[in-house]
Amino acid sequence: LPPEASATLFVDGLPIDCTRREAAHIFRPFIGFKEVRVVHKDAKRAVGEKIVLCFVEFADPRCAATALEALQG
Protein backbone atom coordinates (compact mmCIF):
# COMPACT_ATOMS: atom_id res chain seq x y z
CA LEU A 1 0.00 0.00 0.00
CA PRO A 2 1.16 3.55 -0.63
CA PRO A 3 2.18 5.55 2.46
CA GLU A 4 -0.78 7.92 2.01
CA ALA A 5 -3.35 5.08 1.98
CA SER A 6 -6.44 5.79 4.08
CA ALA A 7 -8.09 3.65 6.72
CA THR A 8 -11.48 5.07 5.67
CA LEU A 9 -13.52 3.80 2.74
CA PHE A 10 -16.16 5.77 0.87
CA VAL A 11 -19.07 3.53 -0.15
CA ASP A 12 -21.19 4.46 -3.15
CA GLY A 13 -24.35 2.95 -4.56
CA LEU A 14 -26.29 2.38 -1.35
CA PRO A 15 -30.09 2.63 -1.49
CA ILE A 16 -31.62 5.92 -0.36
CA ASP A 17 -33.22 4.27 2.69
CA CYS A 18 -30.03 2.54 3.88
CA THR A 19 -29.50 2.76 7.63
CA ARG A 20 -26.29 2.89 9.62
CA ARG A 21 -27.10 -0.53 11.03
CA GLU A 22 -27.55 -2.07 7.58
CA ALA A 23 -24.28 -0.61 6.33
CA ALA A 24 -22.42 -1.75 9.45
CA HIS A 25 -23.77 -5.28 8.97
CA ILE A 26 -21.88 -5.46 5.65
CA PHE A 27 -18.52 -4.38 7.10
CA ARG A 28 -18.61 -5.71 10.67
CA PRO A 29 -17.19 -9.16 9.71
CA PHE A 30 -13.93 -7.60 8.49
CA ILE A 31 -10.97 -7.43 10.85
CA GLY A 32 -10.22 -3.89 11.97
CA PHE A 33 -13.75 -2.54 11.47
CA LYS A 34 -14.28 0.47 13.75
CA GLU A 35 -17.34 2.44 12.68
CA VAL A 36 -19.63 3.44 9.85
CA ARG A 37 -21.13 6.86 9.15
CA VAL A 38 -24.15 7.19 6.87
CA VAL A 39 -25.22 10.68 5.85
CA HIS A 40 -28.52 11.35 4.09
CA LYS A 41 -28.50 14.62 2.18
CA ASP A 42 -31.25 16.34 0.27
CA ALA A 43 -30.61 16.99 -3.40
CA LYS A 44 -29.35 20.42 -4.40
CA ARG A 45 -32.31 20.82 -6.72
CA ALA A 46 -35.92 20.49 -5.63
CA VAL A 47 -36.58 17.71 -8.15
CA GLY A 48 -33.27 15.86 -7.67
CA GLU A 49 -32.74 12.59 -5.86
CA LYS A 50 -31.55 12.38 -2.28
CA ILE A 51 -27.93 11.45 -1.75
CA VAL A 52 -26.52 8.82 0.60
CA LEU A 53 -22.90 9.18 1.69
CA CYS A 54 -21.27 6.33 3.58
CA PHE A 55 -17.83 6.27 5.21
CA VAL A 56 -16.41 3.17 6.87
CA GLU A 57 -13.46 3.46 9.21
CA PHE A 58 -10.98 0.65 9.87
CA ALA A 59 -8.10 0.29 12.32
CA ASP A 60 -5.51 0.75 9.56
CA PRO A 61 -5.23 1.07 5.77
CA ARG A 62 -4.42 -2.61 5.35
CA CYS A 63 -7.74 -3.64 6.95
CA ALA A 64 -9.59 -1.14 4.74
CA ALA A 65 -7.85 -2.51 1.64
CA THR A 66 -8.88 -6.06 2.55
CA ALA A 67 -12.54 -5.07 2.85
CA LEU A 68 -12.37 -3.06 -0.36
CA GLU A 69 -10.87 -5.97 -2.28
CA ALA A 70 -13.48 -8.42 -0.95
CA LEU A 71 -16.51 -6.20 -1.66
CA GLN A 72 -15.50 -4.25 -4.77
CA GLY A 73 -18.11 -4.61 -7.47
Side-chain angles (χ1 to χ4, degrees):
L1 293 174
E4 68 277 359
S6 176
T8 302
L9 298 179
F10 169 72
V11 182
D12 194 18
L14 294 175
I16 298 298
D17 60 348
C18 182
T19 65
R20 180 184 176 280
R21 182 178 176 160
E22 290 170 329
H25 185 70
I26 296 168
F27 293 96
R28 191 175 292 119
F30 291 96
I31 293 172
F33 170 78
K34 290 175 85 176
E35 74 169 313
V36 64
R37 294 181 307 278
V38 177
V39 179
H40 292 88
K41 295 187 75 164
D42 289 330
K44 291 185 178 183
R45 296 185 182 129
V47 294
E49 299 235 351
K50 291 189 175 190
I51 300 168
V52 177
L53 303 174
C54 180
F55 301 92
V56 184
E57 187 176 342
F58 288 88
D60 59 53
R62 202 172 302 192
C63 293
T66 299
L68 176 66
E69 188 174 302
L71 297 173
Q72 185 67 36

